Amino acid sequence: MASPIFISTRSEYFSIRIVLRSIELTLSTIYNSLINKEFYTTNNIYLFIKYLKLSVILYILLNGPQLILKVSIQYLSENGFVNFNQFEKLMKFEYFLKYFLNINIFIMSTISFFDQDLETLFLCNLKYQDLKNNQQNFENYLKLSSNYKLDSSKSWSKNVTDLLKFSREFKYFIKRYTNYFFLNCILFLSIEYLPERFTSLILGFISFQTFVDKVGTVLSLILVTILQMSNYHYTVLVITTFYGSWNLAEDLLIYYFNKIHFTTSEQNQWLNTRKGVLFGIGLVYYLLIQRFPLMSFIIYSNAFFNMGYFITKFSGEIPDNSKSLATWCITESLWDGHERFVDNLST
């Protein structure tokens, strides 16, 4: 485990300006993808219906039992069969599910490893951008071999086992969400069961460690002070939203990294030099999914679709052969195009 950071300067890759520009780009891209008639193909309409069905199914599975239990306990409480404390416990459990677990995003991201239609959406927009920009990302992407490819002849359980054995992206995905859920459980236990002074200390420490390497020591201390003066709920909301958005942004790159064979250090460097841009993208989609859970899979599929556009804004053209890829990965892992990204948002 990395040692805590106490003194740090502001990251050149993560600034309010970069994040705001990334949010602006994401919102305009969502709008353009919805009004562009060229995207309304038969296959894309079919996929829209598919993900609409999955959105409804996922919503019912996650919220149906909880709603039934809530109505039942409320009815029994009003008629004197159970005490009001049972209803309070249910509300606390509902609060935990909504703000700390975020299981719907984890489920959708897990499904993305098995659903090739999401990759089809990503490639659809990537191909469209190639036609606009006279590039060959789409064709060159298809030429590259995958780090791991599912075998449709195998059972679901066998494919999961193979993913855990051979897919670096899947193993990293499980590790990311394990750490995320573990952190969220610490936050929940802190605000619910620890004395106030310990809760304040733990939330302050986690908040500071979250932001110190991104906005610098001074600004981090100011943010922590503001959060410490607020209700614990807002501190938790900031922390869980930050890490949830970042996880979602990385989830949207699963297909890209499955084809582009970065080493672990190169991939970490690639992500680090683009963290402000990626966070803005992840934040928009994370908040949309949280706000409109009934449309979660529709929003998630749109995120994959638009990643086919985003990737052309902060990554170079994919080489046309695997021999050139190794050298390209070394140079591509470092990105200094932030100013161009911020100043040029024409879509």
Side-chain angles (χ1 to χ4, degrees):
M1 182 179 292
S3 301
I5 301 172
F6 296 104
I7 303 296
S8 179
T9 57
R10 182 181 66 82
S11 171
E12 61 182 306
Y13 310 124
F14 192 101
S15 68
I16 294 175
R17 186 166 174 248
I18 291 173
V19 172
L20 289 178
R21 285 298 193 181
S22 179
I23 291 172
E24 180 184 349
L25 175 64
T26 306
L27 292 173
S28 65
T29 303
I30 293 173
Y31 175 74
N32 288 333
S33 69
L34 295 177
I35 66 172
N36 193 332
K37 294 181 181 179
E38 294 187 47
F39 293 146
Y40 286 85
T41 63
T42 302
N43 185 63
N44 285 350
I45 293 174
Y46 161 77
L47 291 179
F48 173 84
I49 296 172
K50 170 186 173 179
Y51 292 121
L52 177 60
K53 292 178 181 177
L54 285 174
S55 294
V56 175
I57 291 171
L58 184 61
Y59 182 82
I60 292 174
L61 288 176
L62 293 179
N63 296 278
Q66 181 182 329
L67 180 61
I68 293 172
L69 184 61
K70 184 177 179 180
V71 172
S72 300
I73 290 180
Q74 186 172 9
Y75 173 80
L76 293 173
S77 177
E78 290 175 351
N79 289 274
F81 294 103
V82 296
N83 58 48
F84 192 72
N85 287 336
Q86 299 291 349
F87 188 72
E88 287 185 329
K89 290 179 180 178
L90 179 62
M91 294 300 292
K92 188 178 294 185
F93 179 66
E94 185 178 0
Y95 175 69
F96 174 75
L97 290 178
K98 182 176 181 179
Y99 294 105
F100 296 86
L101 204 56
N102 295 325
I103 193 68
N104 58 336
I105 294 178
F106 174 74
I107 292 174
M108 290 187 293
S109 296
T110 303
I111 291 174
S112 69
F113 283 93
F114 304 91
D115 184 3
Q116 299 305 308
D117 284 335
L118 287 170
E119 185 178 22
T120 300
L121 288 172
F122 168 74
L123 291 174
C124 174
N125 207 344
L126 189 65
K127 185 176 182 180
Y128 178 78
Q129 298 308 319
D130 280 350
L131 293 174
K132 286 181 60 179
N133 303 321
N134 193 27
Q135 293 183 328
Q136 292 184 309
N137 285 295
F138 173 78
E139 292 181 10
N140 295 342
Y141 177 93
L142 294 179
K143 292 177 184 178
L144 299 175
S145 61
S146 302
N147 284 322
Y148 177 75
K149 190 172 184 179
L150 293 176
D151 187 347
S152 57
S153 64
K154 295 181 181 179
S155 65
W156 182 86
S157 59
K158 178 60 177 174
N159 272 317
V160 171
T161 303
D162 288 346
L163 278 170
L164 288 169
K165 287 182 179 179
F166 306 116
S167 173
R168 183 182 67 180
E169 287 310 306
F170 189 71
K171 287 185 284 188
Y172 186 47
F173 161 75
I174 295 297
K175 180 181 178 180
R176 282 193 288 111
Y177 275 91
T178 299
N179 292 337
Y180 176 64
F181 291 138
F182 179 71
L183 173 64
N184 287 359
C185 286
I186 290 176
L187 293 173
F188 179 76
L189 293 174
S190 297
I191 65 174
E192 291 294 336
Y193 299 105
L194 291 182
E196 186 174 342
R197 61 180 181 277
F198 290 113
T199 301
S200 181
L201 182 63
I202 291 172
L203 293 184
F205 176 77
I206 294 175
S207 301
F208 182 77
Q209 288 297 307
T210 298
F211 299 112
V212 66
D213 63 329
K214 300 169 185 68
V215 299
T217 304
V218 175
L219 190 53
S220 292
L221 289 173
I222 294 174
L223 287 173
V224 170
T225 302
I226 294 173
L227 290 173
Q228 291 286 71
M229 293 187 294
S230 307
N231 187 286
Y232 290 149
H233 168 75
Y234 297 107
T235 304
V236 166
L237 194 59
V238 168
I239 296 172
T240 57
T241 298
F242 179 87
Y243 287 110
S245 300
W246 179 250
N247 267 337
L248 179 55
E250 288 200 54
D251 294 343
L252 300 178
L253 294 163
I254 286 171
Y255 297 127
Y256 182 74
F257 286 140
N258 192 43
K259 286 278 192 172
I260 308 300
H261 303 163
F262 289 106
T263 64
T264 301
S265 60
E266 289 169 350
Q267 183 169 321
N268 290 337
Q269 197 169 41
W270 191 97
L271 291 167
N272 182 59
T273 56
R274 295 161 174 83
K275 57 186 176 183
V277 177
L278 291 172
F279 174 73
I281 296 170
L283 179 63
V284 171
Y285 282 108
Y286 179 87
L287 294 178
L288 285 174
I289 290 172
Q290 290 290 87
R291 181 65 180 83
F292 306 104
L294 189 57
M295 302 291 289
S296 59
F297 230 123
I298 290 291
I299 298 169
Y300 187 75
S301 63
N302 180 265
F304 264 107
F305 176 79
N306 283 327
M307 185 52 72
Y309 166 74
F310 296 137
I311 203 71
T312 65
K313 286 295 182 181
F314 51 75
S315 190
E317 185 176 7
I318 299 171
D320 60 358
N321 61 80
S322 56
K323 291 183 179 179
S324 303
L325 186 63
T327 303
W328 181 85
C329 284
I330 295 174
T331 57
E332 191 63 25
S333 63
L334 286 172
W335 187 55
D336 59 358
H338 296 84
E339 289 301 320
R340 292 192 302 274
F341 174 83
V342 168
D343 295 334
N344 183 17
L345 287 179
S346 60
T347 57

